[in-house]
Amino acid sequence: MAGIGAGLVAGFAGPSLAADITDEPLVIRDPAPVVYEEQGSYSGWYIRGDVDYHWSKFRGADYITYGASPGTGSFDHHKLKGAMSAGIGAGYQFDNRFRTDLTLDWLAKSKFRGGTSGWCGASQCTSVDTTSYSALLLLANAYVDLGTWHRITPYVGGGIGGAHVKWDKLDNTICDDPNNPGCSTTTHGGKKGWRFAYSLAAGASYCLTKNLDLDVGYRFTRIEGGKMFDYAGPAGGIGAGPGHDKGLNNHEVRGGLRYTFGEGSGRCEEPQTVVYEPEPIYTK
């Protein structure tokens, strides 16, 4: 009887213990760390060179008039033609998001043509005015890179600084003065000087090599107003000037290259990949 009882107890206890062992939760031990492939650096000094074509918008001008109707005059109509420009710069890439640089651009001559109306003695007359301007643009810039996809990195940025604007001589030609048949031209000396300037930019760079990027984009530059031309006129104090322009707006389409020293940029490399990832270890 004792043997039968022990067998019954063992028979009932066996499944119970097995169930306890089977139902015990599994514990996952932390595996060894994942090993990733190394990527290039995102920081370093760089130099840049750019060329562009820009369209300048003349914001108007005022000048003093003398003679039969003294006061303040302005151009009735005006237009500036587009021109090329080129620039150089140096900067530093802090990380994969932020960089700054200092740039110096030479804006080639942009031709100006305008027209004025006034008094020629007791009669009203009109004129054609021609000149051109060029400038050196010095800006401290900052950019935010928005991420990299297939080696392409879009960005936005802006700059602040100054522009040294140089106006050539202005020729004021009158062809319908009733007191002087034919055409007569009065030449005003041009003015030059430094002015405040700022810019806003957007574009994208493409990684050619780990050290070389192709950069294309758009930049808007505002140059504040300043002196444009001197007084000129016949003897007796009848003439016009000096003149002050109200500023220039430049719209630029730019392209250039950036060279990063040292290890270069990690933008040319593929996204970080796993070299080794161990299997998790399960324990009871």
Side-chain angles (χ1 to χ4, degrees), residues 255-284:
L257 295 172
R258 293 201 317 266
Y259 181 83
T260 303
F261 295 96
E263 296 181 3
S265 170
R267 302 187 195 282
C268 270
E269 301 180 12
E270 295 299 323
Q272 198 175 52
T273 57
V274 176
V275 177
Y276 170 70
E277 184 175 7
E279 293 292 332
I281 301 173
Y282 296 90
T283 59
K284 294 181 180 180

Side-chain angles (χ1 to χ4, degrees), residues 212-251:
L212 190 64
D213 289 272
L214 173 66
D215 192 319
V216 294
Y218 163 82
R219 184 171 74 176
F220 167 81
T221 304
R222 170 67 183 272
I223 301 174
E224 295 298 326
K227 295 179 179 179
M228 183 179 180
F229 57 87
D230 283 325
Y231 166 84
I238 300 175
H244 294 76
D245 69 74
K246 299 178 181 179
L248 303 160
N249 288 347
N250 284 337
H251 301 274

Side-chain angles (χ1 to χ4, degrees), residues 164-181:
H164 187 270
V165 177
K166 180 181 181 297
W167 283 102
D168 291 339
K169 64 181 182 179
L170 183 142
D171 290 328
N172 174 256
T173 302
I174 301 173
C175 293
D176 55 356
D177 181 357
N179 301 314
N180 296 287

